[in-house]
Amino acid sequence: MSLVCLTDFQAHAREQLSKSTRDFIEGGADDSITRDDNIAAFKRIRLRPRYLRDVSEVDTRTTIQGEEISAPICIAPTGFHCLVWPDGEMSTARDKENERLNATQQRRAAQAAGICYITSTFASCSLEDIVIAAPEGLRWFQLYVHPDLQLNKQLIQRVESLGFKALVITLDTPVCGNRRHDIRNQLRRNLTLTDLQSPKKGNAIPYFQMTPISTSLCWNDLSWFQSITRLPIILKGILTKEDAELAVKHNVQGIIVSNHGGRQLDEVLASIDALTEVVAAVKGKIEVYLDGGVRTGNDVLKALALGAKCIFLGRPILWGLACKGEHGVKEVLNILTNEFHTSMALTGCRSVAEINRNLVQFSRL
Ligand SMILES: Cc1cc2nc3c(=O)[nH]c(=O)nc-3n(C[C@H](O)[C@H](O)[C@H](O)COP(=O)(O)O)c2cc1C
């Protein structure tokens, strides 16, 4: 079967993966209401095209944090790619090798596409491996704040010296969401997180046997991060105007409107529904991005029309990886970029700067 859209990749990936891996990727928290609404909410928005505008040349390029990207379509952080490999019964040793391969494949695909790739704290291959595999191109690092501040400091310093261009702090995981499928499937893996290696040598921390994410992180702690790094700080997981205003007040450089793909708190707003109030609250002072439920070029266009500077893809990248490795990730990015190009042409937008609020209307359906 030829794979011509992102949902084709989803269907094909389903056939490649074991049940527990499929559930791990696809699953949402509790009743998965927010996971599903992330997609449905995009479909409640209608487009208002403009014609007779000479769209013989359409330019999808834009910038984020001052860096050019070929299209406003980037890769969200996702951990534990080794689970995506089509063999659900791998040995721990092969898990590690596949994790290394998968993370580097994503990175290489992102580099080839000229877009940004956010590396997850839970990538169990080393940051050095990722950088060696794809030394060029834009990379940001996503941090789950560890309770041990020194560990965070060491990691951030490494990230900075390896040429990562921004620090993305995930806020929506003070505790892990209730993922029933993973509990039912008894998803337990003794993966070691190379990048969270304790300062005491050899004392790697096994995931699922620990609670590595700080439960006590507060707004006032952000100044500590600002004191130890010059990297721009992006907060991932903001859904309300109140938190968006606090983000501006605390001098961060960006926000990713996100509900973690519906994997954390269920029954929160779909990302695209939360975007409008966040964009209004920041009043253009910092950049706002979005992830969650983006599956078509029209979705990208809608997110930009409502004020996002770019979108990030979570699951679709893993579908590409599961179907065809690095090549699959490249195809997913190509398909979505081509769709976005078409969406721009059909709505009369020659450049990303021409995408604006008048292009969309919330449908009463
Ligand atoms: C399998 C999987 C692993 C994820 N791991 C992380 C992670 O390590 N850090 C993080 O901040 N978000 C993580 N996320 C959330 C994504 O970054 C992103 O917010 C979400 O997947 C976007 O929604 P989408 O999958 O509908 O595109 C993960 C999501 C999935 C599906």
Side-chain angles (χ1 to χ4, degrees):
M1 175 179 119
S2 56
L3 307 175
V4 300
C5 62
L6 271 50
T7 47
D8 283 352
F9 272 87
Q10 178 177 26
H12 193 59
R14 288 181 73 83
E15 293 164 11
Q16 313 297 313
L17 300 168
S18 69
K19 180 180 182 320
S20 63
T21 302
R22 210 163 53 221
D23 288 352
F24 171 71
I25 294 171
E26 295 296 315
D30 297 307
D31 293 321
S32 296
I33 287 171
T34 295
R35 178 200 63 180
D36 296 343
D37 201 33
N38 272 346
I39 293 174
F42 272 109
K43 306 309 162 205
R44 292 192 289 265
I45 300 170
R46 292 288 175 264
L47 293 167
R48 302 181 66 250
R50 301 294 310 280
Y51 296 118
L52 295 177
R53 290 166 65 90
D54 182 4
V55 288
S56 51
E57 281 186 28
V58 169
D59 185 353
T60 60
R61 283 173 305 164
T62 186
T63 61
I64 51 174
Q65 299 296 322
E67 305 269 350
E68 186 174 295
I69 48 177
S70 64
I73 296 168
C74 298
I75 302 183
T78 52
F80 303 103
H81 306 140
C82 57
L83 297 172
V84 176
W85 207 253
D87 173 1
E89 303 300 323
M90 293 174 300
S91 70
T92 306
R94 275 198 57 211
D95 277 356
K96 278 188 190 158
E97 179 54 14
N98 285 326
E99 173 68 33
R100 194 183 68 73
L101 273 174
N102 280 313
T104 52
Q105 281 172 340
Q106 279 197 59
R107 179 69 211 112
R108 273 199 296 263
Q111 176 179 282
I115 49 110
C116 177
Y117 166 63
I118 309 182
T119 302
S120 163
T121 302
F122 285 170
S124 58
C125 71
S126 82
L127 295 172
E128 286 77 6
D129 274 352
I130 294 175
V131 174
I132 289 167
E136 308 300 324
L138 185 56
R139 48 183 176 269
W140 292 0
F141 180 76
Q142 175 265 325
L143 181 72
Y144 281 126
V145 175
H146 194 279
D148 179 344
L149 279 188
Q150 283 314 308
L151 213 54
N152 294 309
K153 188 171 177 184
Q154 285 186 358
L155 190 51
I156 292 167
Q157 283 170 347
R158 249 174 79 208
V159 161
E160 211 168 330
S161 68
L162 285 167
F164 285 76
K165 290 286 167 54
L167 183 66
V168 177
I169 301 180
T170 298
L171 308 184
D172 55 16
T173 45
V175 296
C176 190
N178 185 31
R179 305 183 193 158
R180 294 172 189 161
H181 40 274
D182 291 345
I183 301 168
R184 285 191 196 108
N185 293 332
Q186 297 187 302
L187 191 79
R188 293 272 183 281
R189 289 210 175 210
N190 193 17
L191 299 169
T192 50
L193 300 172
T194 314
D195 289 317
L196 275 178
Q197 202 92 25
S198 158
K200 288 175 219 144
K201 262 209 166 313
N203 189 14
I205 303 164
Y207 182 59
F208 291 126
Q209 291 183 8
M210 57 172 186
T211 47
I213 305 174
S214 170
T215 50
S216 60
L217 189 68
C218 289
W219 286 102
N220 286 342
D221 296 322
L222 289 176
S223 57
W224 180 81
F225 290 95
Q226 285 157 335
S227 76
I228 62 156
T229 183
R230 287 206 208 107
L231 293 178
I233 292 181
I234 317 291
L235 300 181
K236 176 173 184 277
I238 285 184
L239 291 170
T240 61
K241 62 176 186 296
E242 293 86 348
D243 279 349
E245 281 163 7
L246 282 167
V248 172
K249 195 171 149 206
H250 285 82
N251 299 315
V252 301
Q253 281 71 28
I255 287 174
I256 304 181
V257 174
S258 168
N259 48 41
H260 219 103
R263 296 161 75 81
Q264 280 299 107
L265 179 62
D266 197 18
E267 301 183 68
V268 296
L269 279 185
S271 300
I272 191 68
D273 284 340
L275 180 64
T276 306
E277 77 172 68
V278 170
V279 167
V282 308
K283 299 189 174 79
K285 289 180 187 143
I286 57 175
E287 292 185 354
V288 178
Y289 320 104
L290 172 136
D291 75 28
V294 178
R295 303 292 180 261
T296 66
N298 278 353
D299 295 344
V300 180
L301 187 87
K302 288 171 185 176
L304 265 65
L306 290 168
K309 198 81 178 33
C310 82
I311 63 86
F312 290 90
L313 296 172
R315 293 180 183 88
I317 296 298
L318 300 178
W319 302 333
L321 208 49
C323 293
K324 303 183 187 181
E326 179 182 339
H327 194 63
V329 178
K330 282 182 179 159
E331 272 189 39
V332 163
L333 292 169
N334 268 341
I335 288 171
L336 196 60
T337 304
N338 287 338
E339 284 183 3
F340 174 59
H341 188 281
T342 305
S343 303
M344 285 179 69
L346 289 176
T347 51
C349 299
R350 290 153 295 201
S351 70
V352 166
E354 288 185 350
I355 300 173
N356 64 55
R357 181 65 181 78
N358 293 330
L359 285 175
V360 291
Q361 174 176 326
F362 284 87
S363 134
R364 285 192 210 97
L365 290 177

